[in-house]
Amino acid sequence: MHFATSPAVGRSSLRYLPIASTIGQTITTARSLRRSTEIFMESDASARFAELMRAVSATSGRSPAPVDRWNPPDCGEIDIRIDRDGTWFHEGAPIRRMPLIRLFASVLDRRAGRYVLVTPAEMLSITVEDAPFLAVEMASETDESGVRGLVFRTNLDELVRCDAAHPLRFDREAAGGGLRPYIRVRRDLWARLTRSVALELAELVEEQTVKGEGVLGVASGGAFFAMAPATLLDEPT
């Protein structure tokens, strides 16, 4: 499987340089990220999972900025929006330069219900229509002790291992709709699973007993993430 890179953005990207310069050292080059995503070309599930784990380990030292340690002044809003499909916009125009998007994402945080870009010098609110990230691929493996582990790749090529620290959640859509699954990427930042990944996850749904009640959910990393009462299966369709 090949992951295409986004085309370079035009001169309008220059307007972002004042913010970008304060955190320029945090970005990983697009070339190294492409190399890290070549692991998904493996056809064997075990080898694929092992490569995913190695890629996670290789990201040490290139993690997002420590925004939780920064408490800069609130400088209002900036006209940046992340739409439901994960596309970033500035002043209504899509940002097409992927390294720039990753740079902004590395300083993204959520505080008091607001999505903000945080640097040591300032904090600026942005608009997020749903979740700031998408989970676009999933790998699954069971270790020798029988514990399943799931790893998700986001649309920004971050690898997230699903466990108690990075749980799944399931939101019910309005008007009796279905469930929308999300995985926590870090802090209060979540990735919504794309339709294809959600369908893969649905194949792993199982029933467990929680507090004496049957519950449907997904197990990963030694944790169980409930999605609905097991009685849901008995409801008429």
Side-chain angles (χ1 to χ4, degrees):
M1 184 182 296
H2 175 69
F3 302 109
T5 57
S6 300
V9 75
R11 295 180 181 178
S12 62
S13 64
L14 295 177
R15 70 189 70 181
Y16 302 110
L17 290 180
I19 294 177
S21 63
T22 66
I23 49 174
Q25 298 303 314
T26 66
I27 191 167
T28 302
T29 64
R31 180 175 298 176
S32 65
L33 284 170
R34 284 197 299 271
R35 286 199 298 268
S36 71
T37 58
E38 289 174 0
I39 58 177
F40 292 96
M41 298 178 67
E42 289 285 352
S43 58
D44 180 79
S46 296
R48 186 184 188 202
F49 187 81
E51 289 296 326
L52 279 170
M53 293 300 96
R54 283 194 285 272
V56 171
S57 299
T59 62
S60 60
R62 298 200 299 270
S63 59
V67 297
D68 54 324
R69 305 177 192 170
W70 300 340
N71 190 29
D74 189 337
C75 297
E77 301 178 354
I78 184 171
D79 189 3
I80 290 179
R81 174 174 60 91
I82 308 174
D83 74 3
R84 182 176 174 80
D85 295 325
T87 302
W88 288 60
F89 292 84
H90 179 256
E91 296 183 344
I95 304 173
R96 302 195 182 280
R97 188 180 171 193
M98 186 56 69
L100 186 59
I101 293 173
R102 293 193 183 105
L103 179 60
F104 284 144
S106 73
V107 294
L108 182 63
D109 201 7
R110 193 175 188 188
R111 300 184 180 183
R114 300 163 56 209
Y115 288 96
V116 290
L117 300 178
V118 184
T119 74
E122 62 182 349
M123 180 173 68
L124 295 166
S125 293
I126 69 170
T127 300
V128 178
E129 291 184 357
D130 185 7
F133 308 117
L134 296 177
V136 299
E137 193 161 17
M138 180 184 78
S140 173
E141 182 59 283
T142 303
D143 64 20
E144 295 179 355
S145 61
V147 176
R148 176 196 295 138
L150 300 176
V151 175
F152 295 85
R153 180 176 70 86
T154 76
N155 57 320
L156 300 188
D157 289 326
E158 285 191 67
L159 299 176
V160 184
R161 183 171 186 172
C162 180
D163 53 22
H166 303 89
L168 289 165
R169 83 168 201 257
F170 301 88
D171 290 357
R172 184 170 293 279
E173 297 185 1
L179 297 175
R180 289 180 298 174
Y182 298 78
I183 183 168
R184 178 185 290 158
V185 177
R186 56 183 178 272
R187 296 184 301 281
D188 196 22
L189 303 177
W190 296 74
R192 189 183 81 250
L193 276 59
T194 60
R195 179 175 175 80
S196 60
V197 176
L199 290 174
E200 287 185 60
L201 187 72
E203 297 179 0
L204 303 178
V205 171
E206 60 188 78
E207 181 177 348
Q208 291 193 17
T209 300
V210 178
K211 296 181 179 179
E213 301 289 338
V215 176
L216 300 176
V218 177
S220 177
F224 180 72
F225 306 103
M227 57 185 294
T231 53
L232 181 68
L233 297 177
D234 300 326
E235 295 179 2
T237 57

